């Protein structure tokens, strides 16, 4: 997944309206990895993923995003066989689409507001064997502080909140799986 997110942009294209008045419409592409610390199940974990999309007029971006929890999230819970204090492990991964509004992209330091709409899966393991799992739907608004390092590279400090819907687990509810994300996003492209 990480290698497929490294996209490089095409040349910026300018389109003209039918009445030949110059109406600039610019396009670019970017992609790159993201890394976040995330609040999940009353603990902090580490997620790694990727994000890539198309930028229109240096203001709007649309594309795909994916993340996976890579740190161990161990807790005591119900193993569904009558033992309520068993050592369990949480696994979590999501993928979906995002939309983003970018404020003053040509400025060396600027803000953007992304909204991620994702679906994913969470599973609970006991001794590396799944005992329960559920599909999730996620709404994740955020804000990025972005730094233009060059025409081809932007990095961002990202803060977002993951709101989970639709989970159906015995051990964890939607509130346990919702939480704050703080991380870094690296965008490679032609800006």
């Amino acid at each position: 997944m990480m290698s497929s997110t490294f996209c490089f942009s095409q040349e910026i294209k300018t389109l003209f309206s039918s009445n030949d008045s110059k109406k600039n419409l610019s396009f670019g592409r970017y992609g790159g990895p993201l890394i976040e610390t995330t609040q999940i199940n009353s603990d902090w974990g580490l997620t790694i993923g990727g994000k890539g999309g198309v930028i229109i007029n240096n203001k709007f971006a649309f594309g795909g995003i994916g993340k996976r929890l890579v740190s161990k999230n161990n807790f005591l819970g119900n193993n569904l066989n009558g033992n309520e204090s068993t050592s369990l492990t949480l696994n979590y991964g999501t993928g979906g689409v995002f939309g983003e509004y970018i404020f003053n992209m040509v400025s060396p330091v600027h803000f953007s507001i992304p909204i991620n709409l994702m679906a994913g899966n969470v599973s609970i393991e006991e001794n590396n064997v799944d005992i329960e799992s559920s599909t999730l739907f996620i709404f994740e608004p955020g804000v990025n502080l972005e730094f233009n390092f060059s025409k081809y590279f932007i990095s961002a400090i990202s803060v977002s909140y993951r709101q989970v819907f639709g989970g159906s687990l015995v051990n964890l509810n939607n509130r346990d799986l919702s939480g704050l994300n703080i991380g870094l996003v690296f965008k490679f492209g032609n800006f």
Side-chain angles (χ1 to χ4, degrees), residues 1 12 17 21 35 39 65 88 90 92 144 148 161 168:
M1 182 177 93
I12 291 177
S17 64
S21 65
I35 183 169
Q39 195 177 29
I65 185 169
L88 302 174
L90 165 69
Y92 162 78
N144 294 340
N148 294 355
Y161 185 81
S168 59

Side-chain angles (χ1 to χ4, degrees), residues 30-51:
Y30 75 88
L34 59 90
I35 183 169
E36 296 174 331
T37 58
T38 186
Q39 195 177 29
I40 190 165
N41 191 24
S42 303
D43 200 358
W44 287 91
L46 180 69
T47 58
I48 293 179
K51 180 178 184 178

Side-chain angles (χ1 to χ4, degrees), residues 57-102:
N57 283 353
N58 290 336
K59 289 189 181 206
F60 302 100
F62 304 93
I65 185 169
K67 306 180 195 183
R68 179 157 185 81
L69 183 68
V70 295
S71 61
K72 291 282 186 188
N73 186 291
N74 298 316
F75 65 100
L76 293 178
N78 186 336
N79 71 352
L80 308 184
N81 287 324
N83 189 343
E84 303 238 348
S85 59
T86 303
S87 180
L88 302 174
T89 303
L90 165 69
N91 293 308
Y92 162 78
T94 65
V97 296
F98 74 90
E100 187 170 9
Y101 184 80
I102 305 164

